[in-house]
């Protein structure tokens, strides 16, 4: 969908929830006929400042009507004001946008993310489970510490529902009770967790370093560029 075709509409905040340290999920009202494909995103702006807007991935299920969810990390400026919203407050939404999409004919999608890069993958996981697709999903996710794991409870539910999940923390020295994997997601991890490397479709979302390094690693391993889909979110640490 192009920017010219995307709709702009007034919305209001319905609910806000804490996800983990510094990350909240915001639930916004949308028209009943609003639709999107997993992987798409919205532009947000405050009604009194229409020239300042930010993009956020849709993290809710496409099957839900009348509301969408977006998750954000508090950094500065726009996100600080977003974190100050209360239920009932107004916001303007525009979209959806995006060509980085999950489609039903993807037999095995490998979703790789760090930090809040996991947000569009929540929409994908919910979509596949709710539609009861036979497609395989493998989710590889890194966070700084266990306290920084976004959607931690949902990750456990997705795993129980058949989605292969690998969660690692990159600062184990700050989490002495963590018993899971440690360190960043490397090509060694990808090769071990994805035995069908030559057939899977890879979705990479998150910090520039993660996306660039793994994109290069996948290409060097012989993965065709058409099976590598990227969404970079800047240079924040993970």
């Amino acid at each position: 969908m192009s920017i010219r075709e995307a709709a702009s509409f007034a919305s209001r905040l319905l609910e806000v929830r804490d996800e983990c340290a510094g990350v909240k999920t915001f639930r916004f009202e949308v028209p009943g006929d609003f639709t999107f494909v997993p992987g798409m995103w919205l532009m947000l702006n405050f009604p009194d400042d229409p020239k300042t807007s930010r993009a956020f991935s849709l993290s809710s299920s496409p099957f839900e009507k009348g509301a969408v969810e977006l998750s954000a990390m508090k950094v500065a400026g726009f996100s600080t004001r977003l974190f100050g919203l209360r239920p009932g407050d107004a916001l303007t939404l525009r979209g959806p946008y995006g060509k980085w999409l999950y489609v039903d004919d993807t037999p095995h999608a490998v979703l790789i993310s760090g930090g809040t890069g996991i947000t569009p993958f929540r929409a994908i996981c919910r979509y596949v489970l709710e539609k009861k697709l036979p497609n395989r999903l493998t989710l590889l996710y890194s966070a700084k510490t266990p306290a920084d794991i976004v959607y931690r409870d949902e990750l456990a539910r997705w795993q129980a529902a058949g989605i292969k999940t690998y969660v690692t923390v990159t600062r184990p020295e700050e989490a002495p009770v963590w018993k899971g994997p440690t360190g960043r997601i490397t090509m060694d991890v990808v090769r071990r967790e994805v035995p069908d490397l030559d057939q899977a479709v890879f979705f990479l979302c998150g910090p520039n370093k993660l996306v660039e390094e793994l994109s290069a690693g996948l290409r060097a391993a012989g993965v065709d560029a058409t099976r590598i889909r990227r969404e970079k979110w800047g240079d924040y640490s993970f």
Side-chain angles (χ1 to χ4, degrees):
M1 177 176 290
S2 70
I3 291 178
R4 289 181 179 274
E5 295 171 329
S8 179
F9 49 90
S11 179
R12 62 188 178 93
L13 180 64
L14 300 175
E15 179 188 359
V16 58
R17 301 190 307 275
D18 290 324
E19 290 293 350
C20 67
V23 177
K24 295 181 182 290
T25 290
F26 300 87
R27 184 177 179 83
F28 290 103
E29 182 180 50
V30 294
D33 60 353
F34 179 87
T35 61
F36 71 96
V37 177
M40 299 185 86
W41 46 277
L42 287 174
M43 296 296 295
L44 277 63
N45 70 267
F46 297 101
D48 62 352
D49 187 10
K51 294 184 179 179
T52 303
S53 60
R54 296 291 185 273
F56 294 89
S57 290
L58 287 148
S59 62
S60 50
S61 167
F63 292 111
E64 187 172 358
K65 300 301 179 185
V68 294
E69 292 187 344
L70 317 166
S71 299
M73 176 171 56
K74 187 177 181 180
V75 182
F78 192 96
S79 63
T80 298
R81 187 172 179 186
L82 185 65
F83 270 55
L85 292 178
R86 297 291 181 267
D89 287 348
L91 206 74
T92 301
L93 307 182
R94 189 168 75 252
Y97 303 113
K99 298 179 181 179
W100 187 81
L101 310 174
Y102 179 86
V103 294
D104 288 10
D105 63 354
T106 308
H108 183 197
V110 180
L111 317 175
I112 306 177
S113 62
T116 52
I118 194 174
T119 56
F121 296 154
R122 181 177 184 247
I124 292 174
C125 290
R126 286 185 163 198
Y127 174 78
V128 169
L129 291 175
E130 291 176 21
K131 196 169 183 180
K132 295 182 170 55
L133 293 175
N135 308 2
R136 292 169 55 207
L137 292 178
T138 296
L139 176 63
L140 309 181
Y141 175 61
S142 68
K144 289 182 288 187
T145 72
D148 298 296
I149 295 174
V150 185
Y151 311 136
R152 186 167 183 174
D153 291 342
E154 289 191 77
L155 283 164
R157 292 198 295 271
W158 298 340
Q159 186 173 34
I163 294 174
K164 182 177 181 179
T165 62
Y166 174 92
V167 180
T168 181
V169 299
T170 58
R171 298 183 185 177
E173 68 278 4
E174 299 179 23
V177 299
W178 175 252
K179 303 301 182 184
T182 60
R184 298 173 59 220
I185 299 172
T186 64
M187 278 305 299
D188 287 340
V189 172
V190 175
R191 288 189 185 94
R192 185 179 67 244
E193 300 297 324
V194 188
D196 58 338
L197 196 71
D198 59 339
Q199 299 177 15
V201 175
F202 293 84
F203 290 78
L204 310 178
C205 185
N208 285 341
K209 189 172 183 180
L210 177 147
V211 173
E212 292 294 347
E213 288 183 356
L214 291 180
S215 294
L218 289 167
R219 290 194 299 269
V223 178
D224 190 271
T226 60
R227 291 191 287 110
I228 304 172
R229 299 165 191 185
R230 302 148 36 104
E231 190 80 35
K232 297 188 292 185
W233 283 15
D235 291 315
Y236 61 86
S237 62
F238 61 100

